[in-house]
Amino acid sequence: MTRAFVDRPLGDQVVASNAARIAAAHWGLRSPVTMRTGMNAVFAAGTSVLRVSRPSAPGAAALALHEVLRSFGVPVTRPARADVVTVGDVVVTCWERVDTIAEAIDWREVGDIIHRVHALPPDALPADYPLASPRDLPWWDFPSLLTDTADLLDAPARAGIDAAIERRAGWTGWEEDRPDLVVCHGDVHPGNVLMTVDGPVLMDWDLLSWAPAGWDHAPLMTWTERWGGAPGIYETFADGYGRSFRDDPIAAGYAELRLVAATLMRLRAGRSDPAARVEAERRLAYWRGDARAASWTAQ
């Protein structure tokens, strides 16, 4: 099993804030202000951005990865400091803040960027940065997720989710020696793209994967229909990439099962987070077959 660089939520905001304050003091930065919290906690600190996480590999590997990606023409954020700060089991890295512009993401260019990522030779990546198998991600373990949420699922929603998992049975795994596996970003969606005057910048490489190319197409294949994205996002992305995976049953399976995982993860989070519970209910309406089910909100 090869774990992704970050594959579990950070969880404790107090711990994250304390680590960010210690790191800001170490680097002589302004007091950090929370920007968002999820798998990582992200803080603004003057002209820098601090990312706090519990990685499965040395924190410095993230800095090395970004250097490699830039050397292959992949636009990514730049480290603002060459060292990392470790507080207990939490790691803080420091990045330059990107100047964004108020324009729609150029999805054709993002498709071209992902095509470049898929051409990366695995042995060019930092040796200590994990190239994970997506099948090992905890949110791909549907039996465990369904057990954890069984008391929260009504019968119609459970039936819809079970049917999706059954439809896609066998499409969540792959042999590591398959000839069509490539280096994948692992989580291509609007929240991980910044638009700048020089074009899109791709963020959040925590789920760097060794997988079929369709793995990177799957998130956007449902973005318009389920997440309220603008019409044609995936088609534009696919045009930039050089081909569409709409007719690829394996990629379509990844796309649908990602929706299952997104629903069950929100449902589980809703036990302690009222906002997550509201969002989970919105998602469950889709699995009940409600033709009027509202678009989902990414969190």
Side-chain angles (χ1 to χ4, degrees), residues 103-128:
E103 291 187 10
I105 293 172
D106 183 345
W107 286 108
R108 182 172 284 100
E109 178 60 21
V110 175
D112 181 64
I113 292 168
I114 292 299
H115 191 268
R116 278 177 256 162
V117 172
H118 289 180
L120 286 170
D123 58 5
L125 303 174
D128 53 357

Side-chain angles (χ1 to χ4, degrees), residues 5 7 10 19 54 65 120 164 169 189 255 265 267 294:
F5 185 70
D7 62 359
L10 184 59
R54 286 191 175 93
L65 174 68
L120 286 170
H189 62 76
M265 292 290 284
L267 191 58

Side-chain angles (χ1 to χ4, degrees), residues 282-295:
R282 182 180 294 116
R283 298 178 188 186
L284 289 176
Y286 169 76
W287 297 110
R288 295 185 190 110
D290 184 351
R292 299 171 298 174
S295 296

